[in-house]
Structures are given as structure tokens and as C-alpha cells.
Amino acid sequence: MITNFERMYISLKEINHAGLAKKIIEILSTHQGKKNAIIGDVICQSIACDWNKPVDVRTLRKVIADMRLNGCPIGSCGTGYYLLDDEKETEKVIQSLVDRSCALQAVIRAMSSMYEELYGKEPNLLYD
């Protein structure tokens, strides 16, 4: 057993979600539009400077996903996260999400078909 071990990152259970969301918005307020995207690692480093304990990128993604579900206009691309700038940019982000969703649905159909062939029944899936 490892002794004197302190976890390196803050978990979702430990964070003040509202405080983290507020900090993310504060950081992104200077990163409006795709051309000004900031990578998740840099956001995490900035939070770590203020909180004296880093937030990992996985936690950042989960909190940003929750913020989006609650109407926060955060876009993302290969170069990071940003606040959506205008209608056209928002449409592009929505289209990107639709495209990703369609690709995932195709994989789900293929995997479900494979499952039926292997096990002779449909997989027990939950959709909510």
C-alpha cells in the first residue's frame, strides 16, 4: 500500500462546480472566436495557479460539457476552447456536433449488428 500519497488532481466530487465554471468563463472571456481558441492544458494550468491544485483535462471537459448543456456558448476545435463569437460560428459548432453524432450512430449500428451475429440477440442498451 502506498502511504503519504496525495492525489494529483481535483476530482469532480471535490470541486466547487460553480466556482470552476466561473473561472472557465473568466479565462474564456479573453478567447472569443475560434481564431482565439485556448487549449485545455493551458486552461488547467491557469486554474492550478489560482487554486494551488491542478484540475485535469478530463474534469475540464466534463465541466465544459455541463456548462454547454446549461446554455453556455463554448465552442471547441482542434486548437482548444473558445466563446462563440457569432451566429455563423455557432452554426458551424452545431454542425460539427451533428456530424460527430452521426458518425457515432453508425458505429453503434455496426457494433450492435456484430453483437447480434455473435450472441444471437440484441444488446441490452439504455437510451435516455
Side-chain angles (χ1 to χ4, degrees):
M1 174 156 206
I2 299 174
T3 58
N4 298 324
F5 177 76
E6 182 180 332
R7 281 196 324 271
M8 187 180 291
Y9 296 108
I10 298 170
S11 74
L12 276 176
K13 294 177 185 172
E14 296 175 297
I15 63 170
N16 172 346
H17 189 276
L20 183 55
K22 184 177 177 183
K23 182 64 180 171
I24 292 167
I25 288 296
E26 179 185 313
I27 293 166
L28 292 180
S29 68
T30 60
H31 297 275
Q32 292 200 332
K34 184 176 180 176
K35 64 186 177 301
N36 296 309
I38 178 174
I39 61 172
D41 288 337
V42 174
I43 295 172
C44 290
Q45 289 170 2
S46 178
I47 292 167
C49 288
D50 288 349
W51 290 20
N52 295 323
K53 196 170 192 180
V55 173
D56 65 355
V57 175
R58 177 180 285 158
T59 300
L60 177 71
R61 273 188 247 128
K62 288 178 180 179
V63 172
I64 287 176
D66 186 60
M67 292 169 69
R68 287 171 164 172
L69 287 171
N70 287 290
C72 193
I74 299 175
S76 60
C77 60
T79 56
Y81 296 100
Y82 56 94
L83 288 180
L84 294 169
D85 214 15
D86 57 31
E87 181 180 351
K88 187 173 184 175
E89 192 168 73
T90 304
E91 258 184 22
K92 285 181 180 180
V93 168
I94 293 168
Q95 186 62 58
S96 173
L97 292 169
V98 168
D99 293 346
R100 288 169 53 194
S101 175
C102 290
L104 283 172
Q105 288 298 319
V107 172
I108 290 167
R109 285 191 299 276
M111 294 293 292
S112 295
S113 178
M114 179 265 321
Y115 183 96
E116 286 182 51
E117 287 178 24
L118 287 173
Y119 305 109
K121 62 182 180 178
E122 291 184 14
N124 184 21
L125 304 175
L126 299 174
Y127 293 93
D128 60 352

